Amino acid sequence: MTKKTVTAQYPDVQPELPPRSRGVIGLFEENCTVCMLCARECPDWCIYIDSHKETVPAAVEGGRERSRNVLDRFAIDFSLCMYCGICIEVCPFDALFWSPEFEYAETDIHELTHERDKLRDWMWTVPAPPALDPAAEEPKEVASARKTAEKLAAAAEAAATTEPAASPEAAAGAAAPEPKTAEPKATEPEEGQA
């Protein structure tokens, strides 16, 4: 009551939305494995997914062929969606994200079913995640990758330091060992021999 009323001049002036506002759902298609978890967990059944199986040739000789799902259709009906975010939470491969985009009103309710092309366009409006707390513990995935990289770097450095020590002269000396002089063995006479 003590502040002056200010009218937001929308749509000329865009509103400042909170960083975690729920506008629409963006699809990062490359991460989608067509596991169907989002469609199964959706309480409104507003996610439609179609796919087909494709055979991938063996990566190595003697290996077996594998089959993988290829995404044909991914659509969300925003006239049914209740913006609960369950589909985003259950996605194990980070293929779905909240976008703050909210201007998608249509005159026909059938046009509120957005296909994967539109969902992919919204993916580029997803804000970057906030920076990690500097005092936070390092994620276990990053820590294990860093330790592996350090081990490989140490092994490569150790291999590099041992190679120059083996010079061509030293290698030639190691290849031709010094001849050994054989000393005659003293044999003891057997019993019965004098």
Side-chain angles (χ1 to χ4, degrees), residues 139-159:
K140 62 181 179 181
E141 296 89 354
V142 175
S144 65
R146 184 180 44 76
K147 287 179 185 175
T148 304
E150 287 174 356
K151 285 181 185 176
L152 290 173
E157 186 178 322

Side-chain angles (χ1 to χ4, degrees), residues 22 38 41-43 82-91 98:
R22 296 183 176 189
C38 54
E41 296 295 326
C42 179
M82 65 181 190
Y83 304 90
C84 63
I86 291 175
C87 56
I88 295 171
E89 292 174 17
V90 300
C91 182
W98 279 118

Side-chain angles (χ1 to χ4, degrees), residues 73-133:
R73 181 183 186 220
F74 194 106
I76 299 177
D77 188 352
F78 284 102
S79 65
L80 295 176
C81 181
M82 65 181 190
Y83 304 90
C84 63
I86 291 175
C87 56
I88 295 171
E89 292 174 17
V90 300
C91 182
F93 302 105
D94 290 334
L96 298 172
F97 296 90
W98 279 118
S99 167
E101 197 70 35
F102 63 92
E103 296 177 315
Y104 56 95
E106 301 288 349
T107 55
D108 186 5
I109 195 170
H110 295 99
E111 294 177 8
L112 284 173
T113 301
H114 296 295
E115 299 292 332
R116 67 182 185 177
D117 296 334
K118 185 71 172 174
L119 299 176
R120 184 177 182 82
D121 290 342
W122 280 329
M123 183 61 212
W124 310 124
T125 64
V126 173
L132 294 175
D133 184 2

Side-chain angles (χ1 to χ4, degrees), residues 32-34 51-56 65-71:
C32 183
T33 60
V34 198
S51 68
H52 70 276
K53 289 200 179 277
E54 196 173 80
T55 303
V56 179
E65 294 180 342
R66 298 185 180 271
S67 64
R68 68 179 180 99
N69 288 327
V70 178
L71 185 67

Side-chain angles (χ1 to χ4, degrees), residues 176-184:
E178 294 180 12
K180 294 183 180 178
T181 56
E183 296 180 8

